[in-house]
């Protein structure tokens, strides 16, 4: 048996590597789009009559922000990896698999759906030059809500599929889909609509950025799942615990 | 027939484990907050850390300016 400490440390280390590699993906696929969006933002600012902030030197240069990207994804990876390890420890016994690696992969898939996909489709991420600064608090709160709702939806899907499984395999699958989708649809209808994309903003660039963002988070979760699966996996021949 | 072999990698859930888990979650959420939402209130770096991690925040899907 592993101690909580060792399970946690494994999550932190796996998360660090996953974050660094997600940062690499974001740097290659995302930075050109962020640069392009900022160029549009600056062109817009030059046309406006408000020149108040233009002479101000930025606190961190664009080059600095590109280095900071790796700091951000690494720290975020460490945080997610640690939370993942806590989740694994507390939920492992509830997962109906004898295989720790499968348990880790299942949890990562659930986390990706709940924390990334559900928020993505309701409030797709935007590059600089798109958001209205005045609504940042509202956007932050609704984003956090979608994140919590996403996890609740996954939980509802699992709960309903387990309840329905007495009626057979088809019912089990249908229960999972209905539990997840019904929760998500209800939340999407209740949450406010936010669309702050300016008319003139190029749609291609917008979606290139959004897919780069999705890819960054997919990289993070994929590596977190497989990395943690490898980190907790033990050869059954070496240590067998019969329950 | 013998029960299927099963590897169990986790300790049993005890109050002590729950306390350690809760403490860890608190610290880890604070770290995630620093990356995603802090504007100097916790980091005490002014807006420096916020600006430094700006591109990361956008690409990780967190709402920004
Ligand atoms: Zn921004």
């Amino acid at each position: 048996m592993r101690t909580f400490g060792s399970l946690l440390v494994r999550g932190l280390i796996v998360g660090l590597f996953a974050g660094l590699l997600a940062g690499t993906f974001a740097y290659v696929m995302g930075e050109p789009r962020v640069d392009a969006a900022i160029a549009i933002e600056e062109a817009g600012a030059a046309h406006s009559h408000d020149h108040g902030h233009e002479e101000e030197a930025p606190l961190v240069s664009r080059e600095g922000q590109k280095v900071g990207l790796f700091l951000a994804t690494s720290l975020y990876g460490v945080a997610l990896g640690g939370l993942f390890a806590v989740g694994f420890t507390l939920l492992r016994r509830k997962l109906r698999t004898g295989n720790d690696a499968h348990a880790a992969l299942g949890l990562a898939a659930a986390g990706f759906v709940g924390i990334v996909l559900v928020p993505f489709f309701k409030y797709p991420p935007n590059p600089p030059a798109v958001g209205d600064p005045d609504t940042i608090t509202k956007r932050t709160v609704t984003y956090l809500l979608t994140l919590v709702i996403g996890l609740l939806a996954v939980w509802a899907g699992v709960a309903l599929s387990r309840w329905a499984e007495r009626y057979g395999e088809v019912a089990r699958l249908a229960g999972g889909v209905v539990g997840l989708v019904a929760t998500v649809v209800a939340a999407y209808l209740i949450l406010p609509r936010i669309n702050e994309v300016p008319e003139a903003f190029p749609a291609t660039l917008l979606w290139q950025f959004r897919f780069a963002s999705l890819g960054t988070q997919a990289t993070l979760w994929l590596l977190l799942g497989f990395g943690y699966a490898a980190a907790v996996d033990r050869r059954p021949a070496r240590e067998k615990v019969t329950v | 027939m013998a029960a299927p072999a099963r590897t169990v990698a986790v300790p049993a859930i005890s109050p002590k484990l729950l306390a350690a888990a809760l403490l860890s979650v608190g610290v880890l959420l604070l770290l995630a907050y620093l990356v995603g939402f802090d504007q100097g209130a916790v980091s005490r770096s002014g807006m420096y850390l916020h600006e430094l991690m700006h591109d990361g925040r956008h690409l990780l899907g967190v709402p920004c300016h």
Side-chain angles (χ1 to χ4, degrees):
Chain A
M1 196 206 296
R2 300 197 187 277
T3 62
F4 173 57
S6 99
L7 286 165
L8 181 62
V9 167
R10 280 176 169 77
L12 297 174
I13 294 170
V14 168
L16 176 64
F17 281 105
L20 274 171
L21 284 163
T24 308
F25 181 96
Y27 184 82
V28 174
M29 300 301 291
E31 279 296 351
R33 277 83 210 215
V34 175
D35 281 338
I38 288 174
I40 291 173
E41 190 174 37
E42 281 169 356
H47 287 301
S48 81
H49 295 283
D50 178 23
H51 291 264
H53 296 280
E54 267 183 49
E55 304 306 317
E56 232 172 76
L59 204 49
V60 179
S61 68
R62 287 294 305 136
E63 285 66 37
Q65 289 181 339
K66 287 178 186 180
V67 177
L69 168 70
F70 287 91
L71 179 69
T73 57
S74 304
L75 290 183
Y76 187 73
V78 168
L80 263 191
L83 292 169
F84 186 87
V86 174
F88 181 86
T89 309
L90 297 182
L91 296 173
R92 175 66 189 89
R93 281 160 201 275
K94 304 243 179 219
L95 303 176
R96 297 176 186 173
T97 169
N99 186 319
D100 288 332
H102 290 175
L105 290 174
L107 268 187
F112 181 69
V113 171
I115 295 176
V116 179
L117 284 188
V118 171
F120 182 89
F121 287 111
K122 179 64 184 174
Y123 301 121
N126 285 328
V130 165
D132 172 4
D134 292 337
T135 62
I136 181 69
T137 309
K138 180 188 175 193
R139 282 184 285 129
T140 300
V141 171
T142 50
Y143 166 77
L144 288 174
L145 268 176
T146 53
L147 220 138
V148 174
I149 288 164
L151 289 175
L152 276 176
V154 171
W155 172 81
V158 171
L160 202 58
S161 85
R162 286 185 176 182
W163 174 83
E165 100 193 311
R166 68 194 74 170
Y167 304 109
E169 184 69 6
V170 176
R172 189 178 72 86
L173 287 172
V177 173
V178 168
L180 180 80
V181 173
T183 311
V184 170
V185 168
Y188 278 13
L189 292 175
I190 294 166
L191 289 165
R193 288 179 63 182
I194 297 176
N195 186 8
E196 299 178 341
V197 184
E199 287 282 309
F201 197 88
T204 313
L205 175 59
L206 180 68
W207 282 95
Q208 280 173 336
F209 171 84
R210 286 175 174 175
F211 286 127
S213 168
L214 189 62
T216 300
Q217 296 183 81
T219 306
L220 186 54
W221 280 96
L222 206 64
L223 292 168
L224 197 58
F226 280 101
Y228 203 76
V232 291
D233 200 19
R234 349 186 88 180
R235 295 179 189 290
R238 211 170 32 163
E239 183 184 346
K240 240 180 218 174
V241 182
T242 309
V243 176
Chain B
M1 213 177 89
R6 184 179 159 173
T7 58
V8 175
V10 299
I13 294 175
S14 61
K16 203 177 140 203
L17 173 71
L18 271 182
L22 209 65
L23 180 69
S24 311
V25 167
V27 174
L28 293 162
L29 284 180
L30 188 66
L31 183 60
Y33 170 85
L34 278 177
V35 177
F37 309 102
D38 184 50
Q39 301 200 12
V42 172
S43 70
R44 297 267 149 228
S45 73
M47 289 295 273
Y48 184 81
L49 272 180
H50 179 84
E51 288 296 318
L52 183 63
M53 296 193 283
H54 172 261
D55 293 12
R57 203 162 39 249
H58 275 275
L59 281 159
L60 287 167
V62 181
C64 190
H65 75 284

